[in-house]
Amino acid sequence: VGAYLLGAAPSAYLAAWWWRGIDIREYGSGNVGGANAIAQVGRLRGAPVIVFDVLIKAPVPVLLASDAVLGYGAGVQVAAGLAAVVGHNWSPFLKFSGGRGIGVGGGAMLALQWQLFVAYVGVAAAGWVATRNSPLAWAVSIVALPALAAALGLRPELLVFAVLFLLVTA
């Protein structure tokens, strides 16, 4: 529940309201995520949204659930990361609207297994270089994620994360 609620914190919405007095859902892509925040309030003011989404929303619950802190295993850590993504995508603070979960999911991967994060970002970067289309590049990366997790030989919980992340962002 805590991971869901932290993930649901509407950082892009709050930044747009604070800096421009607008409801970000009515501008640009209509998405409540980092990319639309940067488009609506500028890079300098939008960058903290991405930092919060990627480095706080999912990594904090994942790391808190770790063996070293609360003593839970990889399954609970995966559930915490996914709960943060679901909260971001369907925030109760925004009548169950939200973002796409791309950054929050990346943050979960960063905390769960940095190699999976590097592969996720690497595929998206290669896709962007090839197409100059960011949404398409991230979509390809998300679709490829289960295969990347399997190819890296990661533990089964991470393959489950990859599949479920694909389903909640599709």
Side-chain angles (χ1 to χ4, degrees):
V1 171
Y4 173 79
L5 291 174
L6 182 57
S11 52
Y13 176 87
L14 293 171
W17 179 81
W18 176 264
W19 291 110
R20 291 205 40 222
I22 63 170
D23 182 343
I24 196 169
R25 296 172 295 181
E26 298 174 5
Y27 292 85
S29 67
N31 190 331
V32 185
N36 200 29
I38 286 177
Q40 301 313 313
V41 301
R43 288 184 184 180
L44 184 62
R45 293 175 176 162
V49 171
I50 292 177
V51 169
F52 182 74
D53 285 359
V54 175
L55 297 180
I56 304 294
K57 279 188 174 186
V60 166
V62 167
L63 294 173
L64 284 175
S66 72
D67 289 332
V69 180
L70 293 178
Y72 296 113
V76 174
Q77 289 180 279
V78 163
L82 288 168
V85 173
V86 169
H88 177 78
N89 291 0
W90 297 282
S91 174
F93 306 116
L94 299 174
K95 298 180 182 174
F96 298 97
S97 67
R100 285 180 270 170
I102 292 169
V104 178
M109 284 177 243
L110 185 59
L112 289 164
Q113 185 75 33
W114 67 268
Q115 294 94 334
L116 186 60
F117 173 77
V118 169
Y120 172 66
V121 173
V123 169
W128 184 83
V129 167
T131 66
R132 297 288 194 238
N133 183 324
S134 182
L136 176 61
W138 283 111
V140 168
S141 184
I142 292 165
V143 169
L145 199 57
L148 292 169
L152 289 169
L154 301 178
R155 59 186 189 252
E157 295 91 346
L158 293 170
L159 182 57
V160 169
F161 173 86
V163 170
L164 293 175
F165 180 64
L166 168 62
L167 294 175
V168 300
T169 57

